[in-house]
């Protein structure tokens, strides 16, 4: 998965105009540019390949057929696509009737936990994914965007509608919560 | 190890997680579905735009047509196809006249219009339509007289002012009718004009609440009541 630099956002503009005029080749380029990323993002949130596939397709369909709703006023097309994916994920949770996740800061954690003993190198990818899904919605989002999607803090801030400072603080808290969640998993 | 160091290690571990990618089949299926939606969306846009343009053009044409017909009907004569529209516009005007003064002005204006139409119809030898126009003129003068009469009790000063305007209008009409009567030779036309002059005089009596005088003998201007405006 290629890093999503600023250049990609700039390159999107002419493609968007072409798609608006019905150019299918331009739509194909945008699809290729974002489908894998969106699939990866949704999978990290849901953990099920079938659901991730459906939501990624739904996100790309909405993105490329509702361009009349996209106004290029300071928000990059990439941020708009991620927001659609995020909303689709939230809708999916609602349809599935998933209970609201309790923020780990307020959850009961083992008092004797010693996070320094956690051997992160030995953690499996699946352990990390599952621990991540135990975090709050925003904490999951910031960690996925920053570390799985390799976006900058500024890009994550635009997608989440927050300031860069707020994203950095959220990221710090999210990593702490993830550490505690992982420690809880290894001690249980 | 400090908290910062621990979290940095965890962040590095997260960066090292292999990205989960869709299967090639999922990607092909995804593109086919997205392409179908994009094509459908483009088709819907193309289909909508000409329809919208057509509707807008039709609405604009209808507005222009109605506005043009209304404007043209203002000067139409009883033998014109647009004449019925003139009546509609006149009725709308009448509905918008609320004060006694406005109502009187409205009826006097229509009486003058009917007289003009009668002259035109006589000139075109359409005596049937001329008779209808003269009858319409008398109807409007009667309506004007009723407006004056309705104010006699409640506001005598206003009624006097209105009556003066009515008298002036009837005097003008009578002069015009007398001139017309002297020009025509057709007995039917002469009779119609004479009757119109007599009815106009009756309208004047109606306005003052006096009993109607007997109709004139139709011999000419000298037989009409010759209303004189009060100054």
């Amino acid at each position: 998965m290629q890093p999503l630099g600023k250049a990609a956002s700039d390159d999107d503009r002419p493609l968007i105009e072409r798609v608006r005029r019905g150019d299918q080749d331009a739509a194909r380029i945008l699809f290729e540019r974002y489908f894998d990323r969106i699939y990866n993002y949704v999978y990290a949130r849901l953990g099920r390949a079938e659901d991730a596939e459906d939501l990624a397709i739904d996100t790309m369909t909405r993105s490329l057929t509702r361009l009349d709703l996209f106004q290029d006023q300071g928000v990059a097309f990439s941020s708009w696509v991620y927001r659609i994916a995020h909303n689709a994920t939230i809708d999916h949770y609602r349809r599935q009737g998933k209970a609201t996740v309790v923020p780990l800061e307020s959850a009961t954690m083992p008092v004797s936990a010693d996070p320094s003993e956690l051997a992160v190198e030995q953690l499996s990818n699946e352990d990390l994914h599952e621990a991540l899904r135990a975090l709050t919605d925003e904490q999951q989002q910031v960690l996925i965007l920053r570390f799985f999607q390799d976006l900058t803090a500024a890009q994550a801030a635009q997608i989440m509608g927050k300031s860069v400072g707020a994203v950095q603080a959220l990221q710090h808290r999210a990593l702490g919560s993830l550490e505690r969640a992982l420690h809880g998993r290894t001690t249980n | 190890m400090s908290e910062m160091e621990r979290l940095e290690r965890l962040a590095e571990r997260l960066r090292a997680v292999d990205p989960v990618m869709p299967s090639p089949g999922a990607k092909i299926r995804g593109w086919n579905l997205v392409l179908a939606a994009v094509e459908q969306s483009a088709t819907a846009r193309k289909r909508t735009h000409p329809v919208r343009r057509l509707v807008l053009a039709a609405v604009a044409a209808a507005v222009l047509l109605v506005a043009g017909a209304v404007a043209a009907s203002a000067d139409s004569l009883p033998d014109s196809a647009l004449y019925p529209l003139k009546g509609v516009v006149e009725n709308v005007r009448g509905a918008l006249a609320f004060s006694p003064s406005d109502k009187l002005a409205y009826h006097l204006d229509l009486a003058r219009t009917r007289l003009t139409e009668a002259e035109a119809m006589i000139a075109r030898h359409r005596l049937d339509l001329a008779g209808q126009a003269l009858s319409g003129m008398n109807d409007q003068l009667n309506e004007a007289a009723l407006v004056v009469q309705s104010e006699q009790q409640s506001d005598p000063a206003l009624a006097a002012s209105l009556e003066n305007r009515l008298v002036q209008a009837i005097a003008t009409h009578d002069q015009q009718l007398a001139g017309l009567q002297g020009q025509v030779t057709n007995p039917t036309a002469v009779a119609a004009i004479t009757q119109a002059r007599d009815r106009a005089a009756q309208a004047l009596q109606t306005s003052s609440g006096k009993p109607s005088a007997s109709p004139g003998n139709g011999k000419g201007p000298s037989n009409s009541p010759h209303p004189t405006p009060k100054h």
Side-chain angles (χ1 to χ4, degrees):
Chain A
M1 198 161 56
Q2 295 296 314
L4 190 68
K6 186 178 183 302
S9 300
D10 292 339
D11 289 348
D12 288 343
R13 287 183 194 129
L15 291 170
I16 290 164
E17 287 308 312
R18 284 170 56 191
V19 176
R20 279 177 171 151
R21 293 195 295 268
D23 187 334
Q24 294 177 0
D25 292 337
R28 181 66 189 252
I29 294 170
L30 286 172
F31 177 85
E32 292 289 343
R33 187 173 288 174
Y34 288 103
F35 185 73
D36 288 359
R37 294 186 150 276
I38 296 303
Y39 178 90
N40 180 268
Y41 174 83
V42 179
Y43 180 85
R45 299 296 308 270
L46 304 179
R48 281 172 52 86
E50 299 83 4
D51 293 342
E53 189 182 317
D54 288 345
L55 289 194
I57 293 171
D58 186 43
T59 298
M60 293 312 299
T61 302
R62 288 192 210 182
S63 303
L64 295 174
T65 58
R66 301 310 310 272
L67 282 172
D68 52 321
L69 300 177
F70 171 65
Q71 302 291 328
D72 190 9
Q73 293 172 336
V75 178
F77 177 70
S78 57
S79 299
W80 190 60
V81 176
Y82 274 109
R83 285 181 186 179
I84 292 173
H86 177 71
N87 291 336
T89 309
I90 300 299
D91 288 345
H92 179 81
Y93 281 148
R94 287 204 191 105
R95 282 198 301 273
Q96 300 295 314
K98 182 179 175 179
T100 305
V101 176
V102 178
L104 287 186
E105 289 89 338
S106 59
T108 304
M109 297 301 294
V111 177
S112 59
D114 181 0
S116 65
E117 294 175 4
L118 194 64
V120 292
E121 290 81 5
Q122 294 172 14
L123 292 167
S124 69
N125 289 349
E126 193 51 37
D127 280 337
L128 285 167
H129 271 118
E130 287 192 18
L132 185 76
R133 288 183 205 114
L135 306 188
T136 67
D137 183 69
E138 281 194 332
Q139 288 175 345
Q140 287 184 54
Q141 199 180 5
V142 75
L143 294 184
I144 292 169
L145 293 174
R146 292 285 284 122
F147 303 120
F148 289 0
Q149 299 278 316
D150 203 22
L151 299 185
T152 65
Q155 287 171 320
Q158 194 178 68
I159 292 166
M160 298 181 74
K162 293 179 180 294
S163 67
V164 173
V167 163
Q168 287 169 334
L170 178 63
Q171 177 187 317
H172 183 80
R173 286 197 304 276
L175 284 170
S177 297
L178 182 66
E179 186 184 52
R180 287 192 294 276
L182 286 165
H183 193 272
R185 288 175 63 81
T186 55
T187 54
N188 287 335
Chain B
M1 190 184 294
S2 70
E3 184 193 10
M4 283 301 292
E5 287 172 330
R6 289 196 325 267
L7 296 184
E8 186 53 40
R9 277 180 63 215
L10 185 55
E12 284 305 316
R13 177 65 188 89
L14 286 172
R15 283 195 185 95
V17 171
D18 294 329
V20 182
M21 304 297 275
S23 67
K27 208 164 172 178
I28 292 169
R29 176 173 161 263
W31 169 242
N32 287 337
L33 290 170
V34 169
L35 178 63
V38 168
E39 282 177 343
Q40 195 177 5
S41 172
T43 307
R45 270 201 308 273
K46 281 177 187 167
R47 202 182 303 137
T48 306
H49 287 175
V51 170
R52 271 189 201 156
R53 279 199 294 270
L54 201 63
V55 169
L56 282 174
V59 168
V63 168
L64 285 174
L65 197 66
V66 170
V70 167
S73 73
D75 296 324
S76 66
L77 292 170
D79 58 352
S80 162
L82 288 176
Y83 190 69
L85 187 58
K86 187 179 185 178
V88 173
V89 175
E90 287 176 353
N91 286 339
V92 172
R93 274 181 56 208
L96 296 174
F98 297 108
S99 70
S101 180
D102 287 346
K103 285 178 183 174
L104 183 80
Y106 165 72
H107 290 303
L108 293 182
D109 185 47
L110 290 195
R112 188 170 58 249
T113 303
R114 294 292 93 85
L115 179 54
T116 306
E117 290 169 1
E119 288 177 323
M121 289 302 99
I122 287 172
R124 293 182 189 182
H125 305 292
R126 293 296 308 269
L127 298 183
D128 54 334
L129 296 178
Q132 286 175 20
L134 288 172
S135 177
M137 179 198 77
N138 289 131
D139 290 344
Q140 293 302 327
L141 291 176
N142 277 332
E143 290 293 331
L146 290 173
V147 171
V148 176
Q149 192 182 37
S150 67
E151 296 300 315
Q152 297 284 7
Q153 296 295 322
S154 57
D155 192 344
L158 176 63
S161 166
L162 295 179
E163 188 177 16
N164 198 32
R165 285 164 62 188
L166 177 62
V167 168
Q168 286 185 43
I170 288 177
T172 306
H173 294 342
D174 191 66
Q175 279 182 347
Q176 209 167 335
L177 283 169
L180 193 61
Q181 201 172 16
Q183 293 167 15
V184 297
T185 53
N186 185 302
T188 307
V190 172
I193 294 170
T194 303
Q195 188 182 15
R197 295 181 68 192
D198 287 343
R199 284 188 61 195
Q202 286 170 31
L204 191 59
Q205 289 170 337
T206 301
S207 69
S208 58
K210 294 171 187 169
S212 297
S214 57
N217 59 14
K219 297 290 182 189
S222 59
N223 291 326
S224 72
H226 294 293
T228 306
K230 299 166 187 171
H231 294 289

